[in-house]
Amino acid sequence: MNSDKTPKKPGAALRLITASALALSALCAPQAQAQVPGRFYWHTLSDSNAVPLIFQSISGNSNPFDPANTVTPGAKIEATMALTGYARTFTLADRSAMAAIILPMGRLSGEVTAAGKTFNESTNGFGDPMLEFTYNLLGPKAQKALPDVLRYAPGFSVDFLADLALPIGNYNSSQPLNLGQNRWYGRLGAPIVWQLGPWVPGRRTTLEFLPAVWLFGDNNNYVGQTLKTDPLFQLDAHLTRDFTESFWGSLDASWYNGGKASINGVAGTSLNNVGVGLTLGYQVNDNIGLTFGYKSTLNSGSDPTALRMDNFMFTLVFGWNPMLEGARRLKSEKQASGAFTLDRGAPPKDEWRKQDGQRPQAQQDPSGPSAQTPLPVRR
């Protein structure tokens, strides 16, 4: 009897493995509103690789290159962000793990008031690279071989997450808007994936959560002053659903709380904001995945200290796994071998016409009468 977790046909099994190998297609930078889309923390076959190209158009009253989301009242900031990176899954102590790096780059412009001065400026270049590490704590063991992928279903899975930004991005201490932040910062979290229903391509549904806290070092040269930021708590939630084997969607929500910034001891306002969004994903082929997403903060009234941000995102990811690539090559070679065997069979009809203009006669049964011996005639 077939299980809902296991495809009935080998082709469907290979598609499931491919979909798993491209689970990193949602790879996105934590810097942009400090949120990743749904399905980013799905577990996949060990030794899978992904290279993303991410494009974002962002507007609001906060620097999108800074995950602290520090609000500048009255600011109008526009950003075009491009990101690239590399992610790899592996097995650690029989559990799934992933390591990734993302490098942001782009253009940032706007009108900002800081330290009693108004700046109308623009900048471009590279932001702070982000390193990420995840490790599975609760749920199925690591997928080390292709049969493990066929048997896999997340059930209820919990990971440990750690991010660290390297403060080496472009920074100008004479202006408040920068792609680099001139300080160390990072995140600790616990990604949760909860499977709802059968784990079959085209029918998969998940409810996902990411409770996390961002920690920030001091920037001792922020327009000639010292910028300090309290820890920022964030909760992301996603309800994802397959529409077909290749097309899926997600309803996204996030809540920000804390992150009060102070400049030379003068404290600002803590965040307490909610954002909502939508993500659509499509697997073009065995190696390429696309996602499109939109997210916006919800605000009531005209509070100048409330976070306001709109974000459009498009992602293209190229993913591969050596084991999966080998399985596909083997399948192609078998198909080619089968076609060659057929080609070596009886000649086609056109060849029969070339051989004496007639189709070869069937071979006589050796045990029957000889074709050269006339049959007896009954008189």
Side-chain angles (χ1 to χ4, degrees), residues 43 46 88-92 95-99 133-136 142:
H43 297 155
S46 290
R88 181 177 177 83
T89 63
F90 55 96
T91 300
L92 182 62
R95 288 287 177 178
S96 298
M98 182 189 74
F133 172 76
T134 64
Y135 182 74
N136 177 242

Side-chain angles (χ1 to χ4, degrees), residues 325-340:
E325 299 298 325
R328 278 202 294 263
R329 284 196 298 269
L330 181 60
K331 180 181 178 181
S332 298
E333 290 173 358
K334 287 184 177 180
Q335 290 175 341
S337 176
F340 178 74

Side-chain angles (χ1 to χ4, degrees), residues 6-338:
T6 306
K8 299 178 181 180
K9 298 180 180 180
L14 189 57
R15 285 195 298 272
L16 172 59
I17 296 169
T18 300
S20 176
L22 288 181
L24 297 177
S25 64
L27 183 63
C28 175
Q31 288 92 332
Q33 287 188 260
Q35 179 174 6
V36 294
R39 301 196 171 188
F40 180 71
Y41 294 108
W42 281 21
H43 297 155
T44 183
L45 184 63
S46 290
D47 301 322
S48 293
N49 307 269
V51 175
L53 295 174
I54 306 164
F55 301 92
Q56 299 185 86
S57 176
I58 309 166
S59 62
N61 60 0
S62 176
N63 182 354
F65 283 83
D66 183 3
N69 290 318
T70 302
V71 173
T72 303
K76 297 179 181 179
I77 300 173
E78 303 284 339
T80 301
M81 187 187 299
L83 308 101
T84 188
Y86 173 74
R88 181 177 177 83
T89 63
F90 55 96
T91 300
L92 182 62
D94 214 26
R95 288 287 177 178
S96 298
M98 182 189 74
I101 181 171
I102 286 288
L103 175 63
M105 63 195 80
R107 179 191 61 83
L108 186 63
S109 63
E111 184 177 292
V112 178
T113 299
K117 299 179 181 180
T118 299
F119 299 81
N120 196 334
E121 58 191 32
S122 64
T123 183
N124 59 74
F126 293 91
D128 297 326
M130 176 74 75
L131 305 177
E132 178 162 295
F133 172 76
T134 64
Y135 182 74
N136 177 242
L137 300 175
L138 178 65
K141 293 183 178 181
Q143 303 167 59
K144 301 178 183 179
L146 301 185
D148 296 335
V149 180
L150 300 179
R151 292 189 294 263
Y152 177 80
F156 186 82
S157 176
V158 180
D159 292 357
F160 166 76
L161 161 71
D163 287 328
L164 178 64
L166 308 179
I168 58 175
N170 290 66
Y171 185 78
N172 184 343
S173 62
S174 65
Q175 63 185 42
L177 278 184
N178 285 282
L179 280 68
Q181 302 311 306
N182 194 41
R183 62 177 177 178
W184 294 90
Y185 58 93
R187 174 174 64 163
L188 297 175
I192 299 170
V193 177
W194 187 4
Q195 173 190 340
L196 305 176
W199 198 250
V200 178
R203 298 166 58 190
R204 294 171 297 189
T205 303
T206 61
L207 184 59
E208 304 173 18
F209 300 97
L210 175 53
V213 58
W214 286 88
L215 304 172
F216 304 94
D218 296 343
N219 181 350
N220 295 315
N221 198 1
Y222 177 74
V223 198
Q225 303 180 73
T226 299
L227 171 66
K228 296 183 178 182
T229 305
D230 292 345
L232 172 66
F233 175 77
Q234 181 173 347
L235 176 63
D236 295 337
H238 311 277
L239 177 62
T240 82
R241 170 67 181 177
D242 281 347
F243 301 130
T244 68
E245 290 188 6
S246 302
F247 184 47
W248 60 273
S250 171
L251 297 176
D252 311 315
S254 57
W255 174 49
Y256 314 91
N257 186 263
K260 180 188 296 185
S262 61
I263 300 176
N264 277 0
V266 179
T269 304
S270 297
L271 293 177
N272 188 13
N273 297 93
V274 174
V276 295
L278 171 70
T279 302
L280 297 175
Y282 181 70
Q283 183 174 313
V284 178
N285 56 34
D286 290 348
N287 298 100
I288 297 176
L290 302 175
T291 61
F292 172 81
Y294 171 74
K295 181 185 175 186
S296 177
T297 53
L298 298 179
N299 299 284
S300 59
S302 56
D303 182 1
T305 64
L307 177 64
R308 288 176 170 81
M309 192 79 76
D310 288 295
N311 179 10
F312 289 91
M313 180 183 68
F314 173 78
T315 303
L316 183 150
V317 174
F318 180 80
W320 74 96
N321 181 284
M323 191 180 303
L324 181 60
E325 299 298 325
R328 278 202 294 263
R329 284 196 298 269
L330 181 60
K331 180 181 178 181
S332 298
E333 290 173 358
K334 287 184 177 180
Q335 290 175 341
S337 176

